[in-house]
Amino acid sequence: MPKELNGWLAEVVKAAKKRKAVIKDRERNLYDIKHSILKKKEEKLNPIIAEFKRSSPSGFRQDRDPLEYAKLMERFGAAALSILTEPLYFSGSYETFEAISRNVKLPLLFKDFVVTEAQVDTAYSIGADAVLLIVKILEYDELCFLYDYIKSYGMVPLVEVENEKDLNVANECCAEMIGINARDLNSLTVNVDRVAELLKIAPVKSIKVAESGIQERSQIIRLRESGADAFLIGTALMKYPEKIKLFI
């Protein structure tokens, strides 16, 4: 069983365990998110993972045409797309993810509160190339099991951490790709400084993704200097999509 949680996180995880899997033949090739990030770095660009979300428990609300947004991010050089599929607090859906998967040739991150194999099965079926795993909501054995299960499909697990304890767990699970979230999922407060500090002690061999709270290019530069390999940006790009040209 996943960890004992409270508030909105408990509600989301409870609902996640009940979601039915979407099982069907995958329609698109697998795109390597790690290769895409490293290629952007070789080109002296900032690898941006542009996120599509319509809402969040922090109070964010912004609706856009998902295909228009995804194609714009692809055209302006995003390294990958992150797509929320959680319906209760993020207004996400599997249908939106699959629609985007049919219309772009970028690596796609399945961003949800993944606690079951069924969610991983669904992610692969609808075209995901990477799947988010959140240390905060999973016991160690569950994290490592789902990590290996994701890899069995040829997809890449992105292991999300909030603090040094989480980071140690990700390291013990031999995570090849680690997301460091500036947002505390309990308080919903954002602390980009904490991300910079954790980046400095994160495993050198892992691809490190700075997540949440990025509003300006100066923050990207600072996080890059601290060790970030890529930058997951949602709110700023959903509000001002063409800002990606500045960020890259």
Side-chain angles (χ1 to χ4, degrees):
M1 294 291 291
K3 289 179 179 176
E4 185 174 342
L5 302 167
N6 298 303
W8 74 273
L9 273 178
E11 188 178 351
V12 163
V13 168
K14 182 178 179 181
K17 289 188 286 184
K18 296 178 180 179
R19 290 184 82 180
K20 293 182 179 179
V22 176
I23 305 296
K24 57 183 175 180
D25 291 337
R26 183 184 173 101
E27 296 182 10
R28 78 195 296 257
N29 295 329
L30 276 164
Y31 293 86
D32 189 336
I33 191 170
K34 294 189 293 183
H35 174 77
S36 182
I37 288 169
L38 295 176
K39 187 172 185 293
K40 292 294 182 184
K41 288 188 69 176
E42 288 173 2
E43 295 170 352
K44 307 300 182 185
L45 300 172
N46 294 318
I48 305 298
I49 302 174
E51 184 160 274
F52 182 83
K53 60 180 179 181
R54 290 189 168 100
S55 63
S56 78
S58 65
F60 170 81
R61 298 287 184 277
Q62 182 75 55
D63 199 10
R64 290 192 176 277
D65 181 276
L67 299 186
E68 182 180 299
Y69 177 85
K71 290 177 180 179
L72 186 68
M73 295 301 109
E74 182 176 40
R75 186 163 71 249
F76 286 148
L81 294 173
S82 168
I83 306 162
L84 264 298
T85 57
E86 197 288 313
L88 296 179
Y89 284 89
F90 294 87
S91 305
S93 71
Y94 294 156
E95 291 78 14
T96 295
F97 191 106
E98 190 167 24
I100 291 175
S101 77
R102 291 183 179 132
N103 284 275
V104 298
K105 294 181 178 180
L106 285 176
L108 302 181
L109 171 66
F110 180 90
K111 194 170 184 191
D112 208 321
F113 295 78
V114 174
V115 291
T116 68
E117 295 163 76
Q119 290 169 283
V120 178
D121 296 335
T122 297
Y124 180 79
S125 294
I126 63 178
D129 306 290
V131 177
L132 185 73
L133 291 176
I134 303 172
V135 173
K136 192 180 194 75
I137 67 172
L138 294 165
E139 297 291 355
Y140 176 75
D141 290 346
E142 295 168 328
L143 174 69
C144 293
F145 173 79
L146 288 169
Y147 186 96
D148 290 339
Y149 192 64
I150 290 164
K151 290 191 71 174
S152 74
Y153 274 112
M155 299 185 294
V156 176
L158 172 60
V159 180
E160 181 178 290
V161 306
E162 286 185 15
N163 51 47
E164 189 171 352
K165 182 180 177 182
D166 289 353
L167 187 59
N168 290 335
V169 171
N171 197 25
E172 288 173 15
C173 209
C174 301
E176 298 172 9
M177 193 168 173
I178 297 174
I180 302 178
N181 196 354
R183 189 178 300 281
D184 182 305
L185 293 180
N186 286 325
S187 67
L188 299 177
T189 56
V190 173
N191 186 343
V192 178
D193 291 338
R194 185 182 70 239
V195 176
E197 292 305 310
L198 289 173
L199 282 166
K200 294 173 184 176
I201 60 172
V204 174
K205 293 184 179 180
S206 296
I207 291 178
K208 295 168 283 293
V209 182
E211 302 176 4
S212 301
I214 297 173
Q215 301 289 335
E216 303 297 338
R217 181 178 172 84
S218 60
Q219 292 173 297
I220 291 175
I221 294 170
R222 183 191 172 203
L223 292 167
R224 187 182 66 204
E225 291 172 347
S226 297
D229 298 296
F231 312 89
L232 192 153
I233 306 174
T235 299
L237 289 176
M238 284 295 295
K239 288 182 176 179
Y240 310 105
E242 295 207 2
K243 211 169 182 180
I244 190 172
K245 294 185 285 187
L246 174 66
F247 291 156
I248 287 177

